[in-house]
């Protein structure tokens, strides 16, 4: 049986967390003279609910995870940082991850002076299980996986993920930031089977709220309690909690955005494949396409000069010559294709001169 107490850092295990004024009184409406707030400028004068009770109840109903199994943070980036701080002893412990993947696992590890060991994905952008397990030793506390993966845009094989949940001795963190755009189901239902599993999701993608900074971690109540003990007391502000609640009332809007983005993903893929200078497009389960160009540097410069900003991934292992292109609105996508047609014309006129 997995023992979370054996994994958590000693100082965190014995930590007496900060108890805020809003944590201590739970009797509802009252005259609040306990938190040195300004009595004027309601409702912004009050500190937000540090436990985000109402918001977690709403998320719980949507995700079918009990509120005690939900952590909310300032983006899922906060959960990534807190997991490393709670479980990895600086200068001693390490985390395991894959290459290429989302950059923040390594950055958070580096900031916390925790070694990040990465196993290269296979040529099919799948997990190399023996290589991953070979990297692990008794100081490996966390395994970060991302599915659908950023930047390769594909889902990792479900059987491989389940195998790692069974065999990795530490926590397996599965980042599902892009899961709403995928044909594969979330592994959130596996929380019942694996007490070492943490699922990360976010309001920044399908829900269209990157600006409010709200991310979710789902895990056993024991793991969530540890994260809650070390977070800033008021890590999710009043405006964010309110805005999220308003947008959670009607999930059909989010669903219609997902449908449109998926339609546009197919439209963009077909339009891009018509260009002779597009060599390949990786199969995508996310809201972006990884596109391999003949001269990616030239395409990047051409688009940037016309104020169309895409992400250069050409130096990333396994992604040589690739640009990462987010699926925009229909108008934005048409403009992108129009601009690439212009690039194509200029290129062929230059080639014809020689
Ligand atoms: N995970 C992945 C895989 C991401 O690509 C991103 C952001 N691009 C995040 C997490 C961060 O999400 P958030 O906005 O919730 O911090």
């Amino acid at each position: 049986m997995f023992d979370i107490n054996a994994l958590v850092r000693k100082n965190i295990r014995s930590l007496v967390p900060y108890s805020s004024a809003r944590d201590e009184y739970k009797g509802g409406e009252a005259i609040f003279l306990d938190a040195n707030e300004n009595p004027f400028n309601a409702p912004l004068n009050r500190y937000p609910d540090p436990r985000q009770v109402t918001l977690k109840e709403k998320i719980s109903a949507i995700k079918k995870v009990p509120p005690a199994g939900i952590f909310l943070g300032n983006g899922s980036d906060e959960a990534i940082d807190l997991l490393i701080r709670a479980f990895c002893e600086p200068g001693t412990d390490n985390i395991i991850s894959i290459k290429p993947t989302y950059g923040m696992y390594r950055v958070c590890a580096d900031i916390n002076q925790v070694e990040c060991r990465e196993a290269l994905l296979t040529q099919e952008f799948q997990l190399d299980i023996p290589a991953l397990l070979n990297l692990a030793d008794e100081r490996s506390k966390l395994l970060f996986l991302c599915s659908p993966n950023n930047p390769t845009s594909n889902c990792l094989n479900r059987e491989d993920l389940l195998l790692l949940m069974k065999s990795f001795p530490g926590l397996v963190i599965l980042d599902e930031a892009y899961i709403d755009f995928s044909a594969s189901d979330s592994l959130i239902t596996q929380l019942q089977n694996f007490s070492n599993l943490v699922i990360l999701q976010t309001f920044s993608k399908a829900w269209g709220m990157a600006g409010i900074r709200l991310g979710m971690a789902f895990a056993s109540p024991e793991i969530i309690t540890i994260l809650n003990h070390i977070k800033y007391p008021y890590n999710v502000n009043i405006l964010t909690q309110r805005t999220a609640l308003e947008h959670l009332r009607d999930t059909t809007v989010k669903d219609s955005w997902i449908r449109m983005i998926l339609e546009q993903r197919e439209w963009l893929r077909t339009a891009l494949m018509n260009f002779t200078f597009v060599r390949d497009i990786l199969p995508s389960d996310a809201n972006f396409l990884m596109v391999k160009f003949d001269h990616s540097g030239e395409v990047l410069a051409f688009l940037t000069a016309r104020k169309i900003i895409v992400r250069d991934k050409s130096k990333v292992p396994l992604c040589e010559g690739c640009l990462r292109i987010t699926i925009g609105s229909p108008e934005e996508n048409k403009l992108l294709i129009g601009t690439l047609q212009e690039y194509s014309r200029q290129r062929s006129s230059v080639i014809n001169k020689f």
Side-chain angles (χ1 to χ4, degrees):
M1 182 61 195
F2 176 75
D3 179 11
I4 193 70
N5 280 318
L7 204 72
V8 72
R9 288 169 67 199
K10 232 166 59 204
N11 61 314
I12 303 295
R13 200 186 310 145
S14 57
L15 179 79
V16 179
Y18 178 74
S19 178
S20 69
R22 287 293 165 271
D23 254 331
E24 286 167 8
Y25 176 77
K26 297 186 188 73
E29 282 300 303
I31 294 172
F32 289 110
L33 304 176
D34 58 344
N36 301 344
E37 294 152 333
N38 188 324
F40 308 111
N41 201 31
L44 298 182
N45 58 335
R46 298 294 171 201
Y47 282 106
D49 174 7
R51 295 158 190 260
Q52 306 113 11
V53 172
T54 316
L55 185 52
K56 279 186 186 168
E57 277 166 5
K58 190 77 200 161
I59 293 171
S60 167
I62 295 171
K63 298 287 176 183
K64 314 279 182 270
V65 174
I70 304 173
F71 166 83
L72 296 181
N74 188 328
S76 37
D77 284 344
E78 182 180 357
I80 294 168
D81 182 50
L82 292 185
L83 283 160
I84 293 174
R85 284 206 272 145
F87 293 99
C88 300
E89 203 58 50
T92 307
D93 290 336
N94 63 73
I95 66 163
I96 311 284
S97 190
I98 52 177
K99 195 159 64 177
T101 194
Y102 181 45
M104 281 301 278
Y105 316 137
R106 172 176 277 284
V107 171
C108 289
D110 285 347
I111 290 169
N112 289 295
Q113 209 201 325
V114 168
E115 187 192 350
C116 177
R117 302 177 177 179
E118 294 165 334
L120 192 65
L121 293 174
T122 65
Q123 290 297 321
E124 293 74 40
F125 309 106
Q126 287 299 330
L127 295 170
D128 182 341
I129 304 266
L132 264 176
L133 291 175
N134 262 339
L135 288 179
D137 58 21
E138 71 289 350
R139 307 270 17 142
S140 304
K141 299 298 179 71
L142 310 175
L143 169 60
F144 279 92
L145 300 169
C146 184
S147 181
N149 188 36
N150 179 8
T152 57
S153 75
N154 63 309
C155 274
L156 302 174
N157 288 335
R158 202 179 172 85
E159 295 68 35
D160 290 350
L161 294 171
L162 292 171
L163 179 76
L164 285 169
M165 286 167 205
K166 276 191 206 122
S167 51
F168 187 71
L171 291 188
V172 176
I173 294 126
L174 180 59
D175 188 339
E176 293 190 334
Y178 298 98
I179 194 67
D180 300 284
F181 305 108
S182 169
S184 304
D185 289 335
S186 164
L187 282 165
I188 200 165
T189 46
Q190 293 297 326
L191 287 170
Q192 291 153 354
N193 303 331
F194 296 101
S195 49
N196 64 336
L197 175 62
V198 181
I199 301 267
L200 301 181
Q201 292 186 5
T202 179
F203 285 95
S204 298
K205 312 293 174 187
W207 290 92
M209 289 187 272
I212 71 168
R213 309 305 300 129
L214 186 62
M216 302 165 271
F218 303 97
S220 70
E222 291 74 22
I223 296 174
I224 297 301
T225 301
I226 293 167
L227 298 182
N228 282 335
H229 279 178
I230 66 171
K231 75 179 181 72
Y232 287 156
Y234 304 114
N235 63 329
V236 181
N237 69 68
I238 277 192
L239 300 176
T240 295
Q241 293 193 39
R242 286 184 171 202
T243 310
L245 269 173
E246 279 163 27
H247 285 78
L248 287 177
R249 250 185 252 140
D250 180 9
T251 58
T252 59
V253 180
K254 175 217 43 153
D255 292 338
S256 71
W257 290 335
I258 294 173
R259 272 197 304 278
M260 270 196 285
I261 289 167
L262 295 187
E263 275 167 28
Q264 284 297 304
R265 188 173 73 190
E266 276 329 290
W267 183 85
L268 200 56
R269 167 185 297 282
T270 310
L272 284 167
M273 283 312 283
N274 285 329
F275 292 113
T276 50
F277 54 85
V278 169
R279 237 187 283 166
D280 196 11
I281 303 176
L282 308 192
S284 175
D285 265 296
N287 67 336
F288 57 88
L289 292 175
M290 274 293 265
V291 186
K292 212 178 190 62
F293 289 95
D294 270 343
H295 302 280
S296 64
E298 226 179 78
V299 175
L300 181 72
F302 192 89
L303 292 176
T304 309
R306 284 148 190 85
K307 297 203 174 303
I308 296 180
I309 315 302
V310 299
R311 202 86 194 261
D312 183 12
K313 293 287 172 185
S314 60
K315 310 278 181 311
V316 170
L318 302 179
C319 301
E320 291 77 12
C322 283
L323 300 179
R324 195 189 68 190
I325 304 179
T326 307
I327 312 300
S329 66
E331 298 71 34
E332 289 170 331
N333 299 333
K334 274 192 207 109
L335 259 169
L336 170 72
I337 294 300
T339 307
L340 287 174
Q341 280 162 348
E342 195 189 325
Y343 167 77
S344 181
R345 281 192 296 274
Q346 285 198 12
R347 209 156 180 270
S348 45
S349 70
V350 170
I351 290 167
N352 287 340
K353 262 191 214 152
F354 293 98

